[in-house]
């Protein structure tokens, strides 16, 4: 029994020694391979960094999702309203004032008066004119938390004929883009660190190209996140203005008194003279041609007839 125990202990020592030698050999081989050159290190770093970056991205995304689960959701809201008004331009001024009161601004504006024919009403001067067939389109940008208040104020500008509101839940896209942005920033920093350690020109060129691509992706993600942030914090309101006002009949103009009759007669005389002069100008080229060709031909013809009518004298 004692001999069996001694044999077992000896075998265990041999196995432990072999395992230690194998580990040392493996470590030496690994160290020898790592000292092969800068290119091997540059290739090994991105591979290890990619694995670490993937794990970091998963952990970061998990933290963001968990955090946003208890936070307010990201909702993008837009609205539109159609108003019937008496004067398009006056209503447009009121819409601008509403935007200013809610800390908003006008993104775009288009006014089209259509068939604008201003006619004053009875006992009213030209300041009382109305726009006939006018239309207007304004797009407002207002704080999202004041969208409902904005619609309430706009409904006081004119008669509401149509109104709509849309809502989009962008929480998932927002969280995903935020996570990808954080991962991309870490990736760019890692490539910049590799560029600082690179010594060979070939490695520098390769790493710089990779850095440019990753920086471009980083800028794209930043733009996407900024756009979603703007959609969440700001709301667009499309305001359509129209009027159905009818024009007053244009007052007829008749001569009033001797002076008005004289003016009307003079205008008629000038018009008649203008017509005669115009007709004469049109006929003048034909008269010139007739004078140059027809008149000499007529004189020659008459002379020939007279010579034919005179009796011939014989000796």
């Amino acid at each position: 029994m004692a001999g069996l125990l001694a044999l077992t202990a000896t075998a265990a020592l041999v196995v432990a020694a072999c395992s230690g030698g194998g580990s040392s050999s493996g470590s030496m081989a690994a160290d020898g391979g790592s000292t092969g050159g800068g290119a091997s290190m540059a290739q090994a770093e991105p591979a290890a960094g990619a694995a670490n970056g993937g794990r970091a991205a998963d952990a970061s995304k998990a933290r963001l999702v968990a955090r946003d689960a208890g936070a307010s959701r990201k909702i993008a809201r837009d609205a539109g309203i159609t108003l019937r008004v008496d004067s398009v331009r006056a209503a447009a001024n009121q819409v601008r004032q509403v935007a200013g009161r809610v800390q908003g601004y006008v993104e775009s504006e288009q006014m089209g008066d259509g068939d604008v024919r201003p006619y004053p009403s009875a006992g009213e001067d030209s300041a009382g004119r109305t726009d006939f067939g006018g239309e207007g389109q304004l797009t407002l940008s207002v704080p999202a938390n004041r969208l409902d208040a904005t619609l309430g104020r706009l409904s006081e500008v004119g008669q509401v004929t149509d109104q709509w509101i849309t809502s989009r839940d962008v929480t998932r896209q927002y969280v995903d883009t935020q996570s990808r942005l954080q991962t991309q920033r870490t990736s760019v920093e890692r490539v910049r660190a590799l560029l600082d350690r690179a010594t060979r020109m070939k490695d520098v060129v390769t790493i710089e190209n990779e850095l440019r691509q990753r920086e471009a992706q980083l800028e794209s993600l930043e733009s996407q996140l900024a756009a979603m942030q703007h959609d969440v914090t700001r709301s667009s309101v499309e305001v359509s203005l129209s009027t159905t006002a009818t024009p007053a009949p244009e007052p007829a103009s008749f001569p009033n008194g001797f002076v008005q009759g004289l003016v009307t007669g003079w205008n008629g005389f000038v018009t008649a003279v203008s017509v005669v002069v115009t007709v004469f100008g049109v006929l003048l080229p034909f008269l010139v041609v007739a004078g140059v060709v027809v008149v000499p031909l007529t004189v020659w013809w008459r002379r020939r007839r007279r010579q034919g009518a005179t009796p011939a004298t014989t000796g």
Side-chain angles (χ1 to χ4, degrees):
M1 185 67 178
L4 180 60
L5 292 176
L7 181 60
T8 303
T10 303
L13 290 175
V14 172
V15 171
C18 292
S19 300
S23 301
S24 300
S25 299
S27 300
M28 292 176 62
D31 294 339
S34 62
T35 56
S40 299
M41 182 183 66
Q43 294 175 357
E45 288 285 349
N52 295 331
R55 290 192 295 270
D58 294 339
S60 175
K61 187 173 183 179
R63 288 194 301 270
L64 289 172
V65 171
R67 185 189 65 185
D68 285 351
S72 60
R73 304 190 66 84
K74 306 298 182 181
I75 306 297
R77 302 178 66 207
D78 297 316
I81 187 171
T82 302
L83 302 173
R84 182 175 296 171
V85 297
D86 294 332
S87 174
V88 171
R89 296 194 178 277
N93 290 331
Q94 296 179 9
V95 171
R96 299 187 195 98
Q97 294 175 4
V98 169
R101 292 192 188 102
V102 297
Q103 298 179 352
Y105 58 89
V106 179
E107 287 185 337
S108 63
E109 177 178 336
Q110 184 176 1
M111 293 289 110
D113 289 339
D115 185 10
V116 178
R117 288 181 282 180
Y119 297 116
S121 302
E124 190 177 41
D125 58 9
S126 59
R129 62 190 183 185
T130 58
D131 295 342
F132 173 69
E135 294 181 350
Q137 186 77 26
L138 296 92
T139 301
L140 310 181
S141 176
V142 300
N145 57 357
R146 309 200 67 178
L147 177 60
D148 297 331
T150 302
L151 293 176
R153 292 177 180 269
L154 291 175
S155 63
E156 300 174 357
V157 175
Q159 180 182 356
V160 180
T161 59
D162 187 23
Q163 180 175 325
W164 53 267
I165 299 177
T166 61
S167 299
R168 294 180 294 112
D169 188 347
V170 296
T171 305
R172 183 179 297 274
Q173 296 90 328
Y174 187 91
V175 172
D176 180 67
T177 304
Q178 199 172 23
S179 175
R180 292 167 56 193
L181 179 61
Q182 184 174 350
T183 302
Q184 192 67 20
R185 285 173 178 167
T186 303
S187 176
V188 169
E189 292 175 358
R190 186 169 56 251
V191 175
R192 286 175 178 170
L194 289 176
L195 181 62
D196 293 338
R197 292 198 302 268
T199 56
R200 295 191 307 175
M201 180 61 64
K202 180 179 179 181
D203 296 338
V204 171
V205 174
T206 302
I207 297 175
E208 284 182 344
N209 292 334
E210 182 67 21
L211 180 60
R212 281 194 294 268
Q213 295 178 6
R214 299 196 183 191
E215 287 178 340
Q217 296 174 1
L218 177 62
E219 292 177 358
S220 177
L221 291 173
E222 289 176 343
S223 299
Q224 295 177 25
L225 188 64
M228 282 188 286
Q229 184 68 23
H230 180 272
D231 293 341
V232 170
T233 58
R234 308 287 300 186
S235 295
S236 295
V237 182
E238 296 181 3
V239 183
S240 299
L241 305 174
S242 63
T243 177
T244 56
T246 57
E250 186 176 3
S253 177
F254 296 101
N256 184 14
F258 174 78
V259 176
Q260 185 65 35
L262 182 62
V263 172
T264 303
W266 175 255
N267 292 335
F269 173 75
V270 171
T271 302
V273 172
S274 177
V275 171
V276 172
V277 172
T278 302
V279 172
F280 178 75
V282 173
L283 297 178
L284 183 60
F286 298 95
L287 296 177
V288 172
V289 173
V292 174
V293 178
V294 177
V295 173
L297 184 60
T298 303
V299 173
W300 172 79
W301 178 253
R302 289 179 178 179
R303 288 181 180 178
R304 184 176 180 182
R305 288 186 61 185
R306 283 198 300 268
Q307 291 177 358
T310 302
T313 58
T314 58

